[in-house]
Amino acid sequence: MRIIDLLKKEAIALNTNAVSKSEAIDHLIVLHKKAGNLSDADTYKNAILEREKQGTTAIGEGIAVPHAKSESVKTPGLAALTLTDGVDYGAPDGKPSDILFMIAAPLDGDLHLEILSRLMVMLMEPEFCQALRNAKTADEFLNIINNKEKEKYPDAPKPQNTKNNSYRILAVTACPTGIAHTYMAAEALEKAGEKLGYPLKAETNGSGGAKNILTKKEIEECDGIIIAADKNVKMARFDGKPVIKTTVSNGINKPEELINKIIEGKANIYHADGEQDSISSDEKESFGHGIYKHLMNGVSHMLPFVVGGGVLIALGFLIDTIAGNSNAGGDFGSTNPVASVVFWIGKAAFAFMLPILAGYIAQSIADRPGLLPGIVGGYLATTGATLSSPTGDDSAVSGFLGALLAGFIAGMLVNVLKKAFGWMPKSMDGIKPVFIYPLLGTLLIGLFMLAINPFVGFLNIGLSNGLSSLGETSKILLSIVLAAMMATDMGGPFNKAAYVFGTAAVADGNTWIMAAVMIGGMIPPIAIALSTTFNKRKWTDEEIKNGPVNYLMGLCFITEGAIPYAASDPLRVIPSCMVGSAVSGLVCALFNCACPAPHGGIFVFPVVDNPFGYIIALIAGSAVGALMLSLLKKNKRELEKA
């Protein structure tokens, strides 16, 4: 079945006008009714609106594809609309939509998914879309679609599954936060596999751990594996199988292309004994992306130690404060017996922060053989071990900088060892990753850290002392910059860089930096929530409905709550949030606030130095952010109707 079999001339309207998303939807439903596709237009409209509540069906670049399954659909069909002036359809890129296809599908079957997938692939070509915009008649419009579909989807029998319903292709998806893109990529790949006739199973490495885990039998029987991930995943299990490694965004946007590479035998064989990971020539990642991926692997594993340990330490301070021991000097946090227990448990967790960071950076680079050398290198960075003093020297503690260096160097050393011992017979493959690589890798990284600790330690201590001795003006400026960075990409590289800098500063005792970082990360969701509450003209019904959730997310220091709003209008939302966060950083610095806990939001406010000043910073930044949104965002011409 072709797209033109579902699109009648009566269901096409070209170069018309609509002033809102709602009016465009109504127009498309009228076209469906004219074509005889619907038995009850109102019921079908309700189904369309319910689908829109789950998220906009606009895909950007002026395209929207509203769709729904309903018992009111008599005949599966399409309706098409081009507009002289686009409407605000809530597209991810913020552009108005001027080409709209509406898919009507009955409840029994997934026809609308197949056609939606085919349409979206075709609509990703700008020349095709421009030709549709320029079409003058319905016949011309249909011919453009038919010719493009024949070009991209020529008639040919689908390849048959020869493995008795086993999975022909496997996939693993993962992103640093593991909240949205991980699952979007898995869904896109599985649907593309179903469409192409190659059953596909996707394992998701999300924030709650790995789900839908690939079994040994599935891996043995599959034709190949797609790794669509922005952080490293367990690779040793894929030894000897064709593997393609790519970004999670390609898993979302190019699923068929990736599957076809496996089908056509263009994936290289992956070897877990140290050969470079298989990456198709057009999928090679940039040097910067590789560094970011390895760093995020270390940071994501480090965060539970930072958060758990840091909050327990802060609770120890709080208990000691309540017990009247706030003037205990160096023993503060451990004077009261209860405070002491909580404090030292937190210290124990916090002590693992840098070894875990280094270990998982090394593991990301060299797989499991890199874990031990990385952890040992990170530990030596915390003790300040040197050639003259292997047990540790306080003046040579290289801290966070040393642990970063240890992680990357340990991973690279293990990869060098893998190549150096590549001459050994295959019968020795079992002993290399569990004995030779960890043993020699640990020895080499140990000697390296003993040699460089004095130099990096000198730099680390100088940086710490420099931060501690900053003048009032410099502290204010740094607080403003760090707080604004937290709102720049809300979970991306800038946000993570500021947060990692803040946690490293906590370890060195510069807790005023963490105060600016945390308050800056709390502002974007709260500012958006305030704006959706008190300035409803700027937002859609769906955004207003979901707005109150951002109060809680912001107060809990979950900046990512602002991402959907920023994605829908980045040029206005992101600058507004950055200004609000910068103001909060400024007020925080002016009140000399400091926060010993690296996470927790309002739940750790009691342990903040000058908590009232911190609350004022939160209120001021949120109010300014909400005000900026009111000034920059345009009014919605007509709110969506639920």
Side-chain angles (χ1 to χ4, degrees):
M1 180 176 283
R2 293 289 182 180
I3 293 174
I4 61 168
D5 295 328
L6 300 171
L7 181 59
K8 301 175 183 177
K9 289 184 183 180
E10 296 86 349
I12 300 173
L14 304 179
N15 301 312
T16 60
N17 293 301
V19 298
S20 68
K21 174 180 177 178
S22 180
E23 185 174 324
I25 288 174
D26 287 340
H27 200 152
L28 286 162
I29 291 173
V30 168
L31 293 173
H32 268 302
K33 196 170 180 181
K34 284 175 61 179
N37 296 331
L38 306 177
S39 61
D40 187 335
D42 291 336
T43 301
Y44 178 67
K45 180 179 179 180
N46 288 335
I48 286 288
L49 294 177
E50 285 299 319
R51 172 58 186 86
E52 291 297 325
K53 288 179 182 178
Q54 299 172 24
T56 180
T57 51
I59 59 177
E61 297 299 331
I63 311 300
V65 190
H67 55 276
K69 298 171 77 172
S70 173
E71 69 276 9
S72 63
V73 176
K74 290 195 303 184
T75 305
L78 285 166
L81 185 68
T82 64
L83 303 173
T84 52
D85 295 312
V87 297
D88 184 353
Y89 213 93
D93 58 6
K95 296 180 180 179
S97 299
D98 60 353
I99 301 178
L100 297 92
F101 286 90
M102 180 176 282
I103 303 172
L107 292 177
D108 54 339
D110 286 330
L111 173 67
H112 78 295
L113 295 178
E114 178 184 347
I115 300 302
L116 173 61
S117 174
R118 190 176 294 185
L119 260 179
M120 290 183 72
V121 171
M122 293 167 58
L123 291 169
M124 290 176 71
E125 298 188 16
E127 296 82 4
F128 173 68
C129 294
Q130 193 56 48
L132 293 179
R133 292 185 177 98
N134 294 336
K136 304 299 182 185
T137 66
D139 285 327
E140 183 183 355
F141 192 85
L142 288 169
N143 285 334
I144 292 168
I145 294 173
N146 194 37
N147 292 336
K148 175 57 68 174
E149 189 177 13
K150 284 182 177 180
E151 175 190 328
K152 293 194 72 69
Y153 300 95
D155 291 324
K158 288 185 177 180
Q160 297 298 310
N161 176 15
T162 61
K163 295 195 176 180
N164 300 321
N165 296 321
S166 62
Y167 293 105
R168 296 290 302 273
I169 299 174
L170 302 178
V172 181
T173 62
C175 60
T177 54
I179 295 174
H181 292 81
T182 299
Y183 303 102
M184 292 167 65
E187 183 178 0
L189 287 164
E190 288 179 345
K191 286 181 178 177
E194 180 182 355
K195 175 188 172 186
L196 295 174
Y198 282 81
L200 184 147
K201 175 182 177 180
E203 173 184 303
T204 55
N205 283 235
S207 57
K211 305 292 183 185
N212 206 27
I213 296 173
L214 308 179
T215 67
K216 183 178 180 181
K217 183 175 184 293
E218 290 167 348
I219 294 171
E220 289 174 351
E221 294 182 350
C222 76
D223 293 343
I225 299 105
I226 298 168
I227 310 295
D230 286 340
K231 69 175 185 178
N232 274 26
V233 298
K234 294 179 180 178
M235 294 292 298
R237 53 190 166 153
F238 304 135
D239 185 38
K241 301 297 295 187
V243 173
I244 291 175
K245 294 188 72 176
T246 186
T247 62
V248 70
S249 62
N250 281 344
I252 297 170
N253 299 314
K254 302 178 181 179
E256 291 185 23
E257 180 180 323
L258 296 172
I259 292 170
N260 282 325
K261 285 182 180 180
I262 297 287
I263 296 170
E264 295 165 7
K266 294 181 179 179
N268 297 325
I269 302 300
Y270 173 78
H271 296 291
D273 61 359
E275 294 183 19
Q276 187 173 3
D277 292 349
S278 306
I279 304 177
S280 298
S281 59
D282 61 338
E283 296 289 345
K284 288 186 179 295
E285 63 184 3
S286 66
F287 175 77
H289 183 267
I291 295 293
Y292 173 72
K293 182 178 68 176
H294 301 318
L295 176 61
M296 285 301 102
N297 192 61
V299 169
S300 64
H301 284 88
M302 174 191 76
L303 282 180
F305 294 86
V306 175
V307 174
V311 171
L312 286 173
I313 290 171
L315 286 175
F317 291 150
L318 177 60
I319 294 170
D320 239 3
T321 300
I322 295 172
N325 298 318
S326 57
N327 297 320
D331 294 326
F332 180 47
S334 58
T335 304
N336 178 274
V338 177
S340 182
V341 170
V342 175
F343 177 83
W344 285 108
I345 292 174
K347 288 282 282 187
F350 212 63
F352 285 97
M353 177 181 79
L354 297 184
I356 291 297
L357 171 70
Y360 280 94
I361 288 175
Q363 187 229 34
S364 179
I365 296 170
D367 217 332
R368 282 187 295 179
L371 186 60
L372 174 62
I375 288 176
V376 172
Y379 174 76
L380 293 175
T382 67
T383 64
T386 66
L387 291 169
S388 60
S389 180
T391 58
D393 181 348
D394 289 344
S395 65
V397 173
S398 55
F400 188 79
L401 295 177
L404 279 179
L405 193 59
F408 283 103
I409 296 299
M412 289 187 284
L413 284 173
V414 172
N415 277 343
V416 170
L417 289 172
K418 289 178 180 179
K419 292 182 179 179
F421 286 88
W423 56 270
M424 295 182 71
K426 194 166 184 64
S427 60
M428 298 293 289
D429 283 356
I431 198 171
K432 288 190 289 186
V434 297
F435 179 72
I436 295 176
Y437 302 151
L439 175 65
L440 295 180
T442 301
L443 176 62
L444 291 174
I445 192 62
L447 293 173
F448 175 80
M449 294 305 295
L450 293 178
I452 64 100
N453 264 344
F455 306 101
V456 181
F458 176 79
L459 177 63
N460 186 58
I461 292 172
L463 178 61
S464 178
N465 291 339
L467 289 172
S468 299
S469 62
L470 280 178
E472 192 66 25
T473 302
S474 300
K475 282 186 177 182
I476 291 173
L477 181 60
L478 184 57
S479 296
I480 291 172
V481 171
L482 289 172
M485 285 177 67
M486 292 297 292
T488 301
D489 50 7
M490 303 172 193
F494 284 98
N495 175 283
K496 289 289 190 296
Y499 183 72
V500 168
F501 184 69
T503 56
V506 168
D508 291 333
N510 293 301
T511 54
W512 60 271
I513 294 176
M514 193 67 235
V517 168
M518 186 183 297
I519 205 72
M522 295 171 70
I523 296 302
I526 299 176
I528 288 169
L530 285 171
S531 183
T532 59
T533 300
F534 297 106
N535 201 348
K536 291 181 168 58
R537 295 176 302 164
K538 305 291 183 178
W539 309 94
T540 65
D541 282 349
E542 183 178 350
E543 289 169 333
I544 292 169
K545 181 180 69 176
N546 295 326
V549 176
N550 272 314
Y551 285 116
L552 180 60
M553 298 188 78
L555 292 173
C556 293
F557 185 35
I558 303 175
T559 316
E560 286 82 355
I563 289 177
Y565 296 84
S568 67
D569 193 3
L571 294 180
R572 296 179 179 87
V573 173
I574 292 177
S576 300
C577 292
M578 287 179 66
V579 171
S581 292
V583 169
S584 71
L586 168 65
V587 177
C588 180
L590 291 175
F591 280 102
N592 292 316
C593 298
C595 182
H599 211 290
I602 60 169
F603 299 104
V604 296
F605 274 27
V607 302
V608 171
D609 289 354
N610 196 352
F612 295 109
Y614 210 48
I615 292 171
I616 293 172
L618 180 68
I619 294 171
S622 301
V624 170
L627 178 62
M628 287 292 295
L629 286 168
S630 299
L631 293 174
L632 294 182
K633 276 189 68 66
K634 294 180 179 178
N635 291 339
K636 296 294 178 183
R637 284 178 288 187
E638 183 177 329
L639 294 176
E640 295 175 22
K641 292 180 178 141

